[in-house]
Amino acid sequence: MAKRKQTSRVFTCSQVLAFRLDGHNLATRLPHGSLLPAAAACSVQNTPPGSAALALHARIAELSPGDVDRALEIDKTLLQVWSMRASPHDFPTGDAAVFTLGLLPGDEESLRFFIRGAGPALDKVGISATEVVERTAAALPEVLDGHDLTKDQLGVELARRVAQQLTSQQLAEWQSPSWHAPDQRLGESIVRFALSIVALQGLLCFAPRQGRAATFVRTDRWLGSPLPEMNREQAQAELVRRYLHCYGPSTVKHLAEWAGIAPTQAAQSWRLVEHELIEVDFEGRRAWLHERDLPRLASPATPEGIRFLPPHEPYLQLRDRATLVPDRALQRHLWRPSGNPGIVLVDGCFVAAWRPRKTGQRLKLAVDLFTPVSQKVRSQVETEAATLAPYRRSTTVEVEF
């Protein structure tokens, strides 16, 4: 057995946060034209819609909303797919396998973990997650052949087709009212859960929105060809490398929580790169880092500038939240079950939460300071806030401290 690689150095919280900010391209903005490298770091969650563009704006100089739209809808160099935690994420099309196949559960237990909200419904119908995913995936190409459908429309049509293969007893439960939405049947809710797995198979992606509704299209139809292929183990290994590049030093437990996958699946992926990792002391805790990132952790870039980070943005998905925000009451304020605020960084330090409110073409940002700042910093915050106007289709921005 190979000797475990480790370093005797102790790394501080400030070093780790600076390292992570640099990994997320938040220490210094990337030059204009760096859209793909920025999105490739660990992909960018788009919840609520429009958040991904704001997160990329915080990473890239002189980025416009049109740059992101063009990459997604015209050049198609960016792709939006359900990915980590079954949430919509934007990432380079060429890296799609990392953020889809790299997360794909490989057995019944891991499938149920990824779509754990569907467990009771699956049991009530008497069908396995494996069967539902297989039948949904088999029906999807024809259902989406030449069509862009909303999630509700997909749920209805796919549930009808899957129902054709059920026993009479299963069918009765399949057609009973859903627990999640009274206007849906139970089978429709199950299929909607299964779609997040089918997305990891590379079969569907987000299409341009129709008003407020997200729509979906076959990935091969959207791109004009299948996704670039990658060996599954290669995709799993690369996902772990990118996670550690942005969130290291870390643990396999936090990898599982960040990705939304079963602990056993995360451990399997972790083992694929274990020989590339080095154990470090993170203020008395054991954690791991990719060996190539050790010099950057030992001497991280100095964060500078103001950043408005939207809710659910990649940097805020760190699992050891106390590293960023030690105060537990403040953690509860920032990471809620729903309705999270964004945060304001000043030279890499968290100083405030922010929320937008739009009236006509005017955008007001309520900035809730949690630490005193100088008038100079307030002016810098207002200057940075003004750059958010086009992302909210506004002409003016007013900051309310």
Side-chain angles (χ1 to χ4, degrees):
M1 181 181 295
K3 185 178 180 181
R4 184 187 296 272
K5 292 178 285 188
Q6 56 185 334
T7 176
S8 59
R9 287 195 57 178
V10 177
F11 293 97
T12 66
C13 181
S14 60
Q15 280 179 299
V16 168
L17 287 177
F19 169 86
R20 293 176 181 177
L21 284 162
D22 186 39
H24 282 280
N25 299 301
L26 289 170
T28 305
R29 275 191 166 100
L30 295 171
H32 186 259
S34 303
L35 185 56
L36 297 188
C42 250
S43 84
V44 188
Q45 186 169 336
N46 194 39
T47 309
S51 291
L54 279 173
L56 290 165
H57 165 70
R59 290 159 167 79
I60 305 168
E62 300 176 5
L63 184 75
S64 73
D67 294 333
V68 181
D69 292 341
R70 184 164 51 255
L72 282 167
E73 300 176 10
I74 299 174
D75 300 336
K76 299 179 183 177
T77 51
L78 282 184
L79 196 66
Q80 186 171 138
V81 179
W82 283 307
S83 183
M84 279 77 69
R85 305 173 301 280
S87 300
H89 281 72
D90 292 358
F91 43 74
T93 303
D95 289 340
V98 176
F99 300 108
T100 55
L101 188 61
L103 292 159
L104 184 63
D107 55 43
E108 178 70 16
E109 179 186 358
S110 298
L111 281 169
R112 279 181 170 254
F113 189 94
F114 197 80
I115 56 172
R116 47 193 177 275
L122 290 169
D123 293 337
K124 188 167 190 251
V125 173
I127 190 170
S128 69
T130 301
E131 289 176 286
V132 169
V133 169
E134 287 178 349
R135 294 174 185 179
T136 301
L140 185 95
E142 185 176 349
V143 170
L144 276 182
D145 189 17
H147 303 286
D148 295 1
L149 300 179
T150 66
K151 194 174 184 180
D152 287 341
Q153 291 168 334
L154 269 174
V156 170
E157 186 56 32
L158 289 168
R160 184 182 69 80
R161 297 190 182 218
V162 173
Q164 295 170 3
Q165 304 172 61
L166 301 177
T167 66
S168 57
Q169 183 175 352
Q170 288 175 322
L171 185 60
E173 298 292 357
W174 187 261
Q175 294 179 335
S176 64
S178 170
W179 304 330
H180 298 282
D183 59 336
Q184 293 176 9
R185 296 186 184 275
L186 192 61
E188 294 166 16
S189 292
I190 292 174
V191 163
R192 286 162 63 98
F193 277 106
L195 280 170
S196 62
I197 302 289
V198 175
L200 300 181
Q201 296 176 345
L203 297 182
L204 80 158
C205 62
F206 282 72
R209 297 180 69 84
Q210 295 179 1
R212 289 182 168 271
T215 63
F216 301 88
V217 64
R218 272 176 46 180
T219 308
D220 60 344
R221 295 280 189 183
W222 178 248
L223 298 177
S225 63
L227 285 172
E229 292 186 3
M230 181 181 282
N231 173 279
R232 183 178 177 186
E233 288 193 350
Q234 290 176 329
Q236 291 174 303
E238 183 59 21
L239 184 73
V240 179
R241 294 186 191 103
R242 298 205 191 184
Y243 168 76
L244 289 172
H245 181 80
C246 290
Y247 299 97
S250 190
T251 64
V252 66
K253 176 179 181 291
H254 284 162
L255 167 68
E257 293 173 356
W258 168 78
I261 58 178
T264 52
Q265 182 182 345
Q268 179 192 36
S269 298
W270 189 273
R271 284 193 294 271
L272 295 173
V273 298
E274 202 164 26
H275 63 287
E276 303 172 14
L277 308 185
I278 187 166
E279 182 181 331
V280 303
D281 184 322
F282 178 13
E283 293 196 334
R285 290 170 283 164
R286 294 171 65 206
W288 284 263
L289 187 74
H290 197 279
E291 193 169 23
R292 69 187 178 196
D293 287 328
L294 184 58
R296 189 163 58 88
L297 176 60
S299 196
T302 301
E304 56 184 16
I306 313 295
R307 305 287 189 276
F308 276 78
L309 303 185
H312 304 291
E313 96 98 51
Y315 184 61
L316 300 183
Q317 294 299 339
L318 78 175
R319 296 295 114 176
D320 53 335
R321 293 170 176 171
T323 303
L324 178 62
V325 182
D327 186 273
R328 288 189 176 275
L330 196 48
Q331 288 178 31
R332 290 191 293 270
H333 175 73
L334 294 173
W335 288 284
R336 305 178 177 193
S338 62
N340 291 352
I343 71 169
V344 180
L345 296 179
V346 176
D347 296 335
C349 297
F350 162 70
V351 299
W354 69 279
R355 291 184 182 278
R357 187 176 75 254
K358 188 178 177 184
T359 305
Q361 296 298 305
R362 298 173 60 197
L363 178 65
K364 291 189 177 182
L365 301 183
V367 174
D368 186 8
L369 291 167
F370 291 102
T371 186
V373 297
S374 66
Q375 184 58 50
K376 178 181 177 181
V377 169
R378 287 183 179 233
S379 297
Q380 292 172 335
V381 168
E382 291 175 334
T383 299
E384 178 64 21
T387 68
L388 304 187
Y391 291 86
R392 296 287 181 169
R393 297 181 180 177
S394 303
T395 55
T396 61
V397 179
E398 179 184 344
V399 176
E400 298 175 336
F401 289 100

